Amino acid sequence: MQLEQLYAHFLNYPKISTDTRKIEEDSLFFALKGDHFNGNAFAEKALDLGARYVIIDEADYFIDERTILVSNVLQTLQELAKYHRSKLTIPIIGITGTNGKTTTKELLHAVLVEKYTCFATKGNLNNHIGVPLSLLSINKEFEIAIIEMGANHQGEIEFLSELAQPTHGLITNVGKAHLEGFGSFEGVKKTKGELYAFLAAHQGICFIQHDNSNLVEMIAAYPSLKQIKYGFSEDNEVFGKLIKANPFLAVEWFSKKELEPHTVQTKLTGSYNTENILAAVAVGLHFDVSDKQIRLGIEKYTPQNNRSQITQTAKNTLIEDYYNANASSMKAALENMAVIEAENKVIILGDMFELGDDSPAEHKTVIAQAKTIPTSRLIFVGKDFYAHRDGDAEYYQTTDEALEALSKHPISSSFVLLKASRGMAFEKLITAL
């Protein structure tokens, strides 16, 4: 089937399904394959559950005229998304970065939705499957869209940019994450910088944290790329500072066009989120969102999904930040704990994954940094931290061992940071806190 014909079906039935457990009636079911499943085998079930058409790539699963046979289902999904994107005329903001991209995406959406009908990537659908699904969710009602793009190997941001074709872009930062896939920190910078390369080649506009030396170095390769600068120094178009973190952030910001100070009280914790807030301000101002609307949008935003999320239990106040962890996000989380105003601080850290050969050194660095912060208890969990155990802190090889220790020796009346890679399953610890 020609792409134009498939697109005609999509316009008639603009809902995409890839999982029969969540299928929607009158949708197009794309029979994707994974390491442990073959979507082709679910094509008939998808039709039984209400799919209008199924797209498969194995002839053995052909059913009837409702079956569309293609050479590669994933590639077809991507091509359909790119074709749909080519029909859209709205601004699309591409976001990538090592840390903070999901929070920044949500802050941008919170600001822009005060004025526009704004689409933003749901959850973290930011990879070679999630980006096409996000693009195909943008209908004619939306006036602007934000597409989050993640990567764990070189060339991925270039590919996703070709799909999303952003008119505007933002790299939050670059840090040491997924080093197994990127090869090195230089590999991280090269890959994230592929967004700058796309914008420069297509007369796009870039929002840049211009006090970040890595980003400034990366963008220098594209002198023609239009930059809108934000950060902490007064030479940026938008600049500001953290006023208070107790634990929620209050931030003051200025714009060069109007040097009157604006203050916003947020529901965010983590001093590292100050620059994400300033990014949202810069984007909002560029798209003519008023100062009042910007403040309202940021004040309304509440973080979720274990990303710098404040939880009050019967015994303690927790920062739940175990959606992901890497060397740079761990450093930022600890810097935040150092400035938070709290009497009894407890730090519980879990292993960082996918750091390759750099893993031993990076875990050792985190231990050293954590020990500079006055705490009533300092706990490290996981085999990588355990390899550096000493007598100055508590070390446990597994999350279950840490849970047992916390149950025997409970923590109360404390401000507790929980930070780890997702695979450490730190949510188990909440029952003891």
Side-chain angles (χ1 to χ4, degrees):
M1 177 175 284
Q2 296 295 315
L3 190 59
E4 290 84 355
Q5 292 174 277
L6 180 58
Y7 190 63
H9 286 319
F10 169 72
L11 292 178
N12 287 326
Y13 309 105
K15 291 182 283 190
I16 305 294
S17 293
T18 61
D19 187 339
T20 53
R21 294 168 298 183
K22 304 173 186 173
I23 202 154
E24 292 190 72
E25 195 169 345
D26 286 336
S27 62
L28 304 183
F29 175 76
F30 281 78
L32 297 174
K33 295 175 182 173
D35 293 335
H36 306 292
F37 66 90
N38 180 356
N40 288 274
F42 296 92
E44 186 171 5
K45 183 178 181 182
L47 290 171
D48 291 341
L49 290 170
R52 182 64 61 156
Y53 290 95
V54 292
I55 295 87
I56 65 169
D57 53 16
E58 293 183 17
D60 290 346
Y61 293 95
F62 191 90
I63 300 158
D64 55 30
E65 70 280 356
R66 298 171 298 169
T67 312
I68 299 170
L69 180 63
V70 299
S71 59
N72 184 297
V73 170
L74 175 58
Q75 186 178 336
T76 300
L77 177 68
Q78 293 166 341
E79 289 173 355
L80 182 66
K82 186 174 182 179
Y83 190 75
H84 178 57
R85 167 63 186 101
S86 72
K87 303 294 184 183
L88 300 172
T89 57
I90 62 173
I92 290 190
I93 306 167
I95 293 186
T96 191
T98 300
N99 305 311
K101 53 185 174 291
T102 298
T103 299
T104 303
K105 171 205 69 184
E106 291 176 354
L107 281 166
L108 262 60
H109 180 262
V111 166
L112 293 172
V113 82
E114 291 292 319
K115 180 170 183 175
Y116 301 99
T117 305
C118 179
F119 174 85
T121 298
K122 302 291 188 291
N124 65 331
L125 288 173
N126 62 15
N127 65 3
H128 63 295
I129 297 171
V131 168
L133 292 175
S134 294
L135 292 169
L136 290 166
S137 299
I138 303 172
N139 60 40
K140 60 184 179 182
E141 295 175 9
F142 290 107
E143 300 169 287
I144 192 167
I146 308 162
I147 298 293
E148 181 180 332
M149 299 185 289
N152 56 22
H153 60 267
Q154 292 193 31
E156 198 164 8
I157 296 302
E158 179 182 11
F159 176 74
L160 296 178
S161 295
E162 290 292 340
L163 290 182
Q165 300 168 47
T167 56
H168 300 70
L170 190 154
I171 302 175
T172 55
N173 50 55
V174 287
K176 294 178 178 179
H178 303 296
L179 295 181
E180 288 177 346
F182 291 124
S184 66
F185 181 49
E186 289 304 313
V188 176
K189 292 198 293 186
K190 181 179 183 299
T191 303
K192 301 299 184 184
E194 290 162 2
L195 177 57
Y196 289 160
F198 181 90
L199 293 169
H202 295 83
Q203 294 75 53
I205 295 173
C206 167
F207 301 93
I208 179 170
Q209 208 286 59
H210 209 258
D211 296 316
N212 184 312
S213 58
N214 287 316
L215 298 181
V216 171
E217 175 196 331
M218 289 158 57
I219 208 167
Y222 310 101
S224 65
L225 178 54
K226 182 178 178 182
Q227 301 177 33
I228 295 172
K229 302 171 184 176
Y230 66 92
F232 305 107
S233 57
E234 294 184 11
D235 57 345
N236 294 295
E237 276 104 310
V238 172
F239 58 94
K241 63 183 179 181
L242 176 65
I243 300 173
K244 190 171 283 190
N246 63 338
F248 296 117
L249 309 185
V251 173
E252 184 178 70
W253 61 269
F254 303 80
S255 73
K256 274 198 170 177
K257 291 180 183 176
E258 177 198 4
L259 285 173
E260 289 295 315
H262 299 271
T263 303
V264 58
Q265 176 62 53
T266 78
K267 298 184 181 76
L268 283 158
T269 187
S271 54
Y272 45 83
N273 275 313
T274 304
E275 59 192 89
N276 300 332
I277 293 164
L278 295 175
V281 173
V283 171
L285 291 175
H286 175 73
F287 286 102
D288 297 318
V289 182
S290 71
D291 298 334
K292 182 180 179 181
Q293 289 170 319
I294 289 171
R295 178 176 57 78
L296 284 173
I298 294 171
E299 285 181 349
K300 288 178 189 174
Y301 171 65
T302 302
Q304 295 175 330
N305 302 321
N306 309 321
R307 300 174 188 272
S308 303
Q309 186 176 331
I310 292 278
T311 301
Q312 187 68 53
T313 71
K315 296 186 291 184
N316 300 290
T317 302
L318 314 180
I319 298 183
E320 295 182 65
D321 193 4
Y322 43 82
Y323 180 83
N324 207 352
N326 53 56
S328 51
S329 69
M330 197 71 88
K331 180 175 184 289
L334 289 172
E335 287 173 348
N336 179 60
M337 277 298 279
V339 301
I340 276 180
E341 302 164 13
E343 283 189 24
N344 298 316
K345 297 181 186 180
V346 174
I347 295 175
I348 307 175
L349 305 180
D351 278 355
M352 304 173 286
F353 295 170
E354 296 183 57
L355 291 179
D357 293 341
D358 289 14
S359 185
E362 295 299 342
H363 281 86
K364 191 172 183 180
T365 297
V366 168
I367 291 171
Q369 183 186 0
K371 287 181 178 179
T372 65
I373 301 170
T375 58
S376 53
R377 283 177 78 173
L378 179 57
I379 300 170
F380 299 101
V381 185
K383 61 182 180 60
D384 292 313
F385 276 129
Y386 193 78
H388 300 285
R389 62 192 181 280
D390 54 34
D392 298 331
E394 297 174 50
Y395 293 83
Y396 304 100
Q397 294 193 69
T398 67
T399 301
D400 287 336
E401 287 181 13
L403 176 59
E404 186 179 351
L406 289 170
S407 300
K408 287 181 179 177
H409 306 286
I411 293 167
S412 61
S413 304
S414 296
F415 193 93
V416 185
L417 169 65
L418 291 155
K419 177 75 175 169
S421 283
R422 183 71 197 90
M424 291 300 296
F426 257 30
E427 64 272 11
K428 291 180 181 179
L429 302 179
I430 303 302
T431 58
L433 296 169

